[in-house]
Amino acid sequence: MKKTPRFHSIFYTLFFIVLIVHPAVCQTSCRITEASAKEKASAPPSENLVLTFSGDIMAHDINYLMKDYNKIYEDVKELLLSDGLSFTNVEMPVCDELPLSSYPSFNVHSDYLKAAAEAGFDVFSFANNHTNDRQVKGIEGTAKSFAVLHEAFLQEKGRRLYSSGLKAKKEEDLKPVLIEKNGFKILFLALTEILNSHDSSKGLVYYSEPSFAGKKALTEKIRKMRTENPCDLFVISLHVDEKEYGRTVLKAKRNWFKVLAAAGADIVWANHPHVLQGWEIVDIEYEDEHINSLFFPQTEEAENGPPETEKKLPKQPAPKPLKFRKKAFFMYSMGNFISGQRRRPNYKNPQHYWEYTGDSALMQLKFPKGAGFDFANAEVTPVLITAYTGTDGIVVKRLTPEWASALPEPEKSYYLKRRSEERFSRN
């Protein structure tokens, strides 16, 4: 069982006020360094850019025993291949040297990961509570599987894949990956606040202790990352330390995400509850004393004579901290993209809490040409999806009224009800 966070909301309020954050936001574009892919056309700089975010890719036995993993993605593949970047969270080790295994200690082989990449996923988070289910060997196997897949896609398809969340050595610190796409620089970091195993493999995962000290240290690291890595957008994948299956966004969680945004994050994409929660565009206001140095630089020595500060000039009052504003995009929980949790739908009770584990969304953010990453003008489109158990196994379907209405009973009534329940609305 996972521990529920015990922090009071006052912590976040005080923490948010006292943190010293450096908003080093660079709007400089750069040329694309990756080759264009056949499946994913790379648009020229300043064209529209679409980012897609999914929930967890999981693999219970009903999933990894499928004969053809590509079947999972058939109904959403076109959508994933036609965007700019597709982000997903891989919630299990991917180690060919270990046997396939289901809950509570997962493992799949590299062909399961390959199917996700073939379907259009480009950016992978490997930081979550199941990352080290199979200890050090599982983590090393995951890193190896991704490296081989990345090299194959780059050589055979001219398409670059990205990942975050794993360390090569325990002494390494958190390090974001820089993605260059369509003339933009996107910084990406995946980390988890919760682990199922705290053995020696813990040190190989991008893990952040969900304590006051841990959160404070993380915010400082994020601020430093933003300062040292000029970018247009900073995306953080956060596997949150909270109770599973809850559909209500806690106030403490909202405040914590605001702190992360003030530190430098533009998008916080969260997972772990296994069900959808809401999303919102938030206005962030914060103070930063460091920024005053940009407007009130220290005086330098004159060509002839003492420094200006030593001259008998009237003292000026110290400048007050300036207030800064920005917008940030929060996805509080994206649920499951694919899993075996709802392998047998409850046709008699479609509103049972467990039924929500089978529904999710693909969240698409479209940034208009020439506008940069302006959330005020971005088009936000949640595409509702559902896990459907068919002859091929559990596959992902777009949860549309047309699709559900074409099903025989009792499936028709069940999925129409699920459609009415899952709104994934703006908070």
Side-chain angles (χ1 to χ4, degrees), residues 287-289 291-292 319-324:
E287 294 181 349
D288 189 345
E289 295 178 356
I291 199 69
N292 284 284
K320 296 181 179 180
L322 303 179
K323 287 189 175 181
F324 295 88

Side-chain angles (χ1 to χ4, degrees), residues 402-415:
E402 295 78 14
W403 171 78
S405 297
L407 296 173
E409 294 290 1
E411 291 180 338
K412 175 181 177 180
S413 297
Y414 174 84
Y415 285 103

Side-chain angles (χ1 to χ4, degrees), residues 184-400:
F184 296 104
K185 290 185 177 181
I186 302 172
L187 206 62
F188 176 61
L189 177 71
L191 52 95
T192 181
E193 297 179 328
I194 182 172
L195 288 172
N196 292 346
S197 177
H198 286 264
D199 59 20
S200 60
S201 62
K202 171 183 175 180
L204 295 176
V205 185
Y206 278 17
Y207 171 70
S208 177
E209 176 69 39
S211 62
F212 181 93
K215 289 178 182 291
K216 185 176 185 299
L218 176 61
T219 356
E220 288 299 319
K221 289 179 180 179
I222 290 172
R223 179 188 64 79
K224 185 178 180 181
M225 290 175 192
R226 188 69 190 243
T227 303
E228 296 178 349
N229 300 275
C231 60
D232 301 289
L233 191 75
F234 193 172
V235 179
I236 293 181
S237 169
L238 185 66
H239 212 71
V240 293
D241 176 33
E242 70 174 80
K243 191 175 181 179
E244 295 174 317
Y245 314 118
R247 293 186 289 120
T248 301
V249 183
L250 303 176
K251 183 178 180 180
K253 185 177 185 178
R254 295 179 191 271
N255 290 337
W256 173 220
F257 282 21
K258 289 177 182 178
V259 172
L260 292 173
D266 299 300
I267 294 177
V268 182
W269 160 49
N271 290 289
H272 182 61
H274 297 299
V275 294
L276 281 174
Q277 293 179 3
W279 61 273
E280 63 181 329
I281 297 174
V282 180
D283 290 308
I284 307 296
E285 182 177 291
Y286 57 99
E287 294 181 349
D288 189 345
E289 295 178 356
H290 289 308
I291 199 69
N292 284 284
S293 63
L294 299 177
F295 298 95
F296 301 93
Q298 295 181 353
T299 55
E300 299 178 352
E301 291 189 6
E303 291 183 4
N304 297 297
E308 292 290 330
T309 52
E310 294 183 12
K311 291 182 179 180
K312 295 182 179 180
L313 298 174
K315 292 184 177 180
Q316 300 295 325
K320 296 181 179 180
L322 303 179
K323 287 189 175 181
F324 295 88
R325 294 179 176 84
K326 64 179 284 188
K327 290 184 180 294
F329 189 82
F330 300 154
M331 292 166 277
Y332 291 107
S333 174
M334 291 299 294
N336 294 329
F337 174 82
I338 184 67
S339 80
Q341 289 190 298
R342 194 186 67 186
R343 63 182 67 195
R344 298 182 184 88
N346 190 339
Y347 295 126
K348 293 183 179 180
N349 188 8
Q351 295 171 300
H352 189 271
Y353 83 93
W354 194 255
E355 304 310 292
Y356 289 86
T357 64
D359 299 330
S360 184
L362 291 171
M363 173 61 82
Q364 292 205 307
L365 304 180
K366 181 179 180 181
F367 297 95
K369 177 179 179 179
F373 292 108
D374 183 359
F375 291 111
N377 296 321
E379 296 180 23
V380 182
T381 307
V383 179
L384 291 177
I385 58 176
T386 194
Y388 176 72
T389 305
T391 56
D392 296 314
I394 298 181
V395 299
V396 176
K397 292 288 186 180
R398 301 191 199 197
L399 188 51
T400 65

Side-chain angles (χ1 to χ4, degrees), residues 7-26:
F7 305 108
H8 299 291
S9 59
I10 188 171
F11 149 74
Y12 298 98
T13 303
L14 295 174
F15 192 26
F16 178 58
I17 292 174
V18 303
L19 275 177
I20 298 176
V21 184
H22 195 313
V25 181
C26 176

